[in-house]
Amino acid sequence: MTQHLTILTGASRGMGLAMARQLLNADATLLCISRTAQPALTPLAEQAGTTLLQWTHDLADSAALGERLEVWLGTQAGTAWRSATLINNAGMIPPIVPLSEAKGADLAQALRVGLEAPMQLSAVFLRATKNWAATRRVLNISSGLGRRAMASQAAYCAAKAGMDHFTRCLALDEALKPNGAKVCSLAPGVIDTEMQLQLRGADDSDFPDRENFVRLKAGGQLSSPDEAARRVLAYLARPDFGRQPVADARE
């Protein structure tokens, strides 16, 4: 039991890509799930001696993805792993408009990627690994906007608030099991990613908080993806991980 298995969604860019790079080590197997593969990870994995798998899948179709993951986990020998971790990192911000102006398809996609997929994958992961002796963890990447309302952000705020609360429920479920998983919904802080560019590029008439995000960028108050990834993975490695089912990496 020397190998560590990590399943990471949204690994092709931003903080997800930074986490993937930092998870590449000789005793690791890393399964990345994103809409597109990230070719830059392949030579890094070979250099580090990491077993790297990259699945391309739209997280909005989480039921089919869950079935595929459950079959794959079922082929793994539970005794081979020292730890098994699921990191639900993928998320998206739909077009930034008031809810009354939002398109149904955009709302559905945002909620499927940001809330339904983490629930589906968590259910599959925990079910498929329930008899493993490995230390099991589920890390859901949340946001401060799951805990604070913002105009024109109803779908994103709702997905992250739902993520926080289903994690609380999941923690109660797992606490009743003899080898229950440790789970946490973690806000990583404000990160300089494409999502921030999307927020800063919104129309003032649609997004009254736009200027606040412009000031964060101008004031150098955004964490780099690498910095945020280090902070998140350090939190994941803490011996008390899971003691708080909803937390902030900056605390």
Side-chain angles (χ1 to χ4, degrees):
M1 295 175 61
T2 59
Q3 290 291 305
H4 299 274
L5 169 65
T6 302
I7 302 164
L8 172 65
T9 69
S12 63
R13 60 182 182 175
M15 189 181 73
L17 176 57
M19 282 194 288
R21 289 195 189 104
Q22 293 174 33
L23 286 165
L24 296 175
N25 55 71
D27 63 353
T29 292
L30 178 61
L31 169 57
C32 296
I33 306 173
S34 307
R35 282 183 297 173
T36 58
Q38 177 49 261
L41 289 175
T42 301
L44 296 176
E46 292 173 352
Q47 183 178 3
T50 306
T51 300
L52 173 67
L53 304 171
Q54 295 196 68
W55 292 0
T56 56
H57 197 101
D58 185 350
L59 272 292
D61 183 17
S62 59
L65 175 59
E67 291 175 1
R68 181 183 181 186
L69 180 61
E70 189 157 18
V71 169
W72 184 82
L73 287 170
T75 67
Q76 306 302 304
T79 54
W81 307 105
R82 184 176 177 184
S83 71
T85 303
L86 169 65
I87 304 177
N88 286 307
N89 168 70
M92 61 168 296
I93 295 178
I96 303 170
V97 293
L99 184 61
S100 59
E101 305 300 322
K103 296 180 180 178
D106 293 334
L107 293 174
Q109 185 178 31
L111 291 172
R112 285 172 182 155
V113 172
L115 181 56
E116 182 180 319
M119 293 186 75
Q120 292 264 22
L121 296 181
S122 295
V124 164
F125 173 78
L126 293 171
R127 181 167 59 248
T129 63
K130 65 181 179 181
N131 293 321
W132 292 14
T135 299
R136 296 178 304 141
R137 300 170 296 185
V138 175
L139 172 59
N140 291 324
I141 302 300
S142 185
S143 168
L145 289 185
R147 303 155 202 182
R148 178 171 67 91
M150 183 169 287
S152 297
Q153 290 292 300
Y156 187 78
C157 288
K160 294 305 185 182
M163 172 179 277
D164 285 350
H165 210 46
F166 98 71
T167 305
R168 292 185 182 100
C169 296
L170 184 55
L172 295 174
D173 290 343
E174 293 300 303
L176 299 174
K177 300 175 182 178
N179 184 34
K182 304 299 181 183
V183 302
C184 180
S185 185
L186 186 69
V190 189
I191 310 166
D192 198 2
T193 63
E194 290 183 21
M195 281 190 179
Q196 284 290 318
L197 187 62
Q198 185 180 352
L199 292 168
R200 294 195 301 272
D203 192 295
D204 285 316
S205 62
D206 288 328
F207 188 38
D209 286 282
R210 187 191 74 86
E211 189 58 33
N212 292 334
F213 289 92
V214 172
R215 284 196 294 268
L216 287 173
K217 175 68 172 179
Q221 298 179 58
L222 301 179
S223 299
S224 70
D226 285 337
E227 178 186 357
R230 281 192 295 271
R231 188 162 57 224
V232 165
L233 293 178
Y235 193 97
L236 177 64
R238 286 169 46 161
D240 64 345
F241 176 83
R243 182 174 298 174
Q244 292 181 290
V246 175
D248 191 307
R250 295 165 292 184
E251 296 174 353

